Amino acid sequence: MDINLKVKKNLQIRAFYLFFIIASIQLGVGIIGAPKLIYLESLQDSWISILIAFIYIVAVVITMFFILNQYENADIYGIQVDIFGKWIGKFLGTIYIVHFGIALLSVLITYIEVIRVYIFPMMSNFVMGFLLLCLVVYGVLGGLRVIVGVCTVFFLLSHWIVFLLIQPSTRMDITHLQPMFVSPISDLLSGAHISAYTFMGFEILFLVYPFIQNKKKAKLPALLATGWTTLFLLLITIITIGYFSYQQIERREWVLLSLIKVQNFTFVERFDYIVVAEWMMIIVPNMLLLMWGITYGMKRLYKVPQKVTLYSVAVIMSFACIYFDEHYRIQSTIDASANYGFWLVYVYPFLLLPIVLIKKKWIKKKEEKSNAK
Amino acid sequence: MQNKSIGLFLVILILLSACVPTKNIEELAVVTARGVDITEDNQVETMLNIIRFDPEADSLFTSNTGIGNTIKGAREEAADRTSYNLVEGQINLELYGKEAAEQGIFRFINGLIHDSQVSDTMKLAVSNVSAKEIFNIENPNMPAVGEHLDRLIEIEVKNNSFPPATIQDFTRVKTTIGEDPLLPLIGLVDEKPTIIGMAVFQDDRYVVDISLDEGFLMNLFLNKVENKSVEMTLPLQPFEKYKINTIGIESKSLEGEEFHINFLTTHGKSNTKVESLEQLKFKTDTYIEINLTEMSHPISIKHEKAANLLEKEIEKKLKKQYEELFKKVQEANADVFGFGKLYRSKTKDGKITEEEWREKLPYITVDFNVDVKLMHTGTIQ
């Protein structure tokens, strides 16, 4: 297995698109319910929790760049094999693939549940899952460049939803955010921990990095993307806390959709239907990138053709949807994805960095020695 | 090859779209309004206003009733007696009968929040008789009572007569610690359903009612008010020296003890502060800008002095009205003004329970401070 990749010129993407890749994969189903979960932990000081999470994420992203820059043109699969050897490296790579798989499944079933609760209560899970996966298969067949295109276009097409928050924001009750600075640090940190699932996804950077044309300019768009998602979550959380009372937030599953349900226009009376449907534009890039991560990983580690993985994962997922039709099962899948992903995404890069640096030094010394001879 | 597989995809996609359940509009009966009463054996009785798009029926509007242990149960029972599918997504108004409201309406609202099909912009109202009496009014000009009331409330809210009364507003205020909700009160005037005031709630129980004028005061307190016309009665005596003397007619003193004015509130807002946490003292500054539109007696307000006097009299009157209103709701131990939430936001840890606040509420004092500014007097002075 080659550690460094040779990407053909026509498959490369410009660093600027990294913004859309990371912002698209970070914004997903998590954000619909995240304000509530954060609020339950750190109450009116939730915004501090989100800012703490953001600072932490910036640190993680910089660490990731640091690791990647130690190599000429490698991705995480290659780096792990280089450092830990063939067996452990491949095993760790497989963990990444499983992580993407669980994340993909959790996105898929959460979205299906939202549709079933809001629009079609009688709809079969299998049909919904199958339809969504058709789109995913079709997109992934186009390759990374198509996926990046989808991310960019859908990002631009879906962000008008922010305007729907204007009406609730004018009716906010500022006393709900007061008194400020009362939650203890431990609560703030657990609030930040809870938001980890929503912010997850930027680990895709480990995979797409070799495809970037002008690598020196990659840092800014990646950090801007995390800043954008943070701002988005911050906005939604503050409006949610201001608009709803404690008891209401506590009892609602998807606070963002409840916020949008308040809208009433003469031409469309129920905006929540449109937003639930529109949310597909946010979900699809998400699933495309995750699916691509899986197929690409299988190809890199085990030389399985991407098409084979793609079709088999799609079939497995659409049948898995039938099983995950109960709220509690879906919830435990999300929790599993959040817990498992937390260590992999937020902690692991910090462990990997010193090992990479030590190994590099070691090789340098060895080379010097052999040169001296 | 590529084209073939894409074609196959498309065919499958089109065929699969049939899996989505369909709803033909001719087979639906759309519920537009619902009245809720409690029967003697504590069951829920609902009155439904229904629209049916049946080309063969004489009228679009029909009504139906149902009894059950829950609201949904009552709907099911009503549905058993129609040959159509009853759908609830378009309910615009839910009216609670007096008894039901006095026992607490949150049990009904809870069901509405659970169901994502229910619109969150649905309005709530309370009647001072049973909902059945309101819904059973036969009036040829009014085929659907619910629709009529819905429009009535919408217009009044738009005219800033009282705070908005959607299910969202209600649940939000109800669940906020230290604030109690208000809903429009519907009564029968000359056999016609009319808004006669506002129902004040303690938690989710209807405890006392206030007049429509007081409803405006509440709106001025809670929200920004614009473009609302207000009628007011003031004592005549202080204005004696500003009467208009018509030439040729010997001036005689103005008749009566009071006179009426009507003004347009162009801008109004209130700001409440906690003066003292320990002594439970609050202070509210209300500021309104008005345009004088009508006076029942010929009084000249050409001079600034006269205008100032008028402002002062209106301030005095509003202050008195606010104090009376506050006393009334305080006696009912209902905090429609939301002093409790202000209190909570100023405490150190922000933790106070609903019960703790209810114990404190009877002892709070509020200083209502009204500032009126007369901007224009119309075309005459």
Side-chain angles (χ1 to χ4, degrees), chain B residues 135-146:
Chain B
F135 269 76
N136 284 354
I137 291 295
E138 295 264 341
N139 192 330
N141 299 327
M142 217 186 288
V145 179

Side-chain angles (χ1 to χ4, degrees), chain A residues 117 171 173 243 245 261 270, chain B residues 116-118 172 175 341:
Chain A
V117 170
R171 282 153 73 185
D173 191 336
Y243 190 82
S245 68
K261 223 177 152 194
R270 296 287 302 275
Chain B
S116 70
Q117 306 284 314
V118 173
R172 170 177 158 204
T175 54
K341 67 175 187 192

Side-chain angles (χ1 to χ4, degrees), chain A residues 117-118 120 130-131 171 173 175-176 178-179 182 243-245 247-248 251-252 261-262 264 269-270, chain B residues 13 16 20 90 110 113 116-121 168-169 171-172 175-176 341 344-345 347-348 350:
Chain A
V117 170
Y118 272 85
F120 300 121
F130 183 75
L131 286 173
R171 282 153 73 185
D173 191 336
T175 63
H176 286 165
Q178 290 169 322
V182 289
Y243 190 82
F244 291 115
S245 68
Q247 280 185 40
Q248 277 175 301
R251 297 200 58 187
R252 271 162 217 250
K261 223 177 152 194
V262 180
N264 194 358
E269 208 151 301
R270 296 287 302 275
Chain B
L13 282 180
L16 274 175
V20 177
Q90 264 296 326
N110 214 352
I113 302 170
S116 70
Q117 306 284 314
V118 173
S119 165
D120 268 17
T121 50
Q168 273 285 344
D169 297 302
T171 42
R172 170 177 158 204
T175 54
T176 299
K341 67 175 187 192
R344 191 195 68 84
S345 74
T347 53
K348 255 201 187 125

Side-chain angles (χ1 to χ4, degrees), chain B residues 137-154:
Chain B
I137 291 295
E138 295 264 341
N139 192 330
N141 299 327
M142 217 186 288
V145 179
E147 197 116 316
H148 170 73
L149 289 175
D150 173 35
R151 239 170 275 157
L152 219 58
I153 293 173
E154 196 166 320

Side-chain angles (χ1 to χ4, degrees), chain A residues 145-159:
Chain A
R145 280 173 69 101
V146 168
I147 296 173
V148 174
V150 171
C151 290
T152 310
V153 172
F154 280 9
F155 179 91
L156 298 174
L157 281 181
S158 56
H159 271 67

